[in-house]
Amino acid sequence: MTTQQTLKVQLVRSPIGTKESHRATVRGLGLRKLNSVSELQDTPAVRGMINKISYLVKVL
């Protein structure tokens, strides 16, 4: 019974005007509109993506 740790991430700033790779990272995390929330598994890859666009998102 191993329970996966999860992270909730909310998009708090618009990706308009940011680098294309940052916009792709936002979409890769499953975020669409402003204030949308995505629940993701806590893996090193996801943490790296969050770190890359930390100025656009908030971890809940």
Side-chain angles (χ1 to χ4, degrees):
M1 289 269 242
T2 58
T3 56
Q4 285 286 350
Q5 293 292 95
T6 59
L7 296 169
K8 280 191 177 181
V9 182
Q10 181 179 23
L11 186 63
V12 294
R13 286 193 59 199
S14 173
I16 294 173
T18 61
K19 292 182 177 181
E20 182 62 41
S21 63
H22 290 204
R23 289 196 294 270
T25 303
V26 168
R27 294 294 294 125
L29 289 174
L31 300 169
R32 289 179 175 259
K33 297 181 179 180
L34 228 54
N35 295 318
S36 64
V37 177
S38 185
E39 190 165 346
L40 307 157
Q41 290 184 359
D42 188 7
T43 63
V46 169
R47 282 188 178 256
M49 293 170 77
I50 292 170
N51 189 46
K52 182 177 180 178
I53 58 164
S54 60
Y55 64 101
L56 295 175
V57 297
K58 177 171 67 172
V59 178
L60 304 175

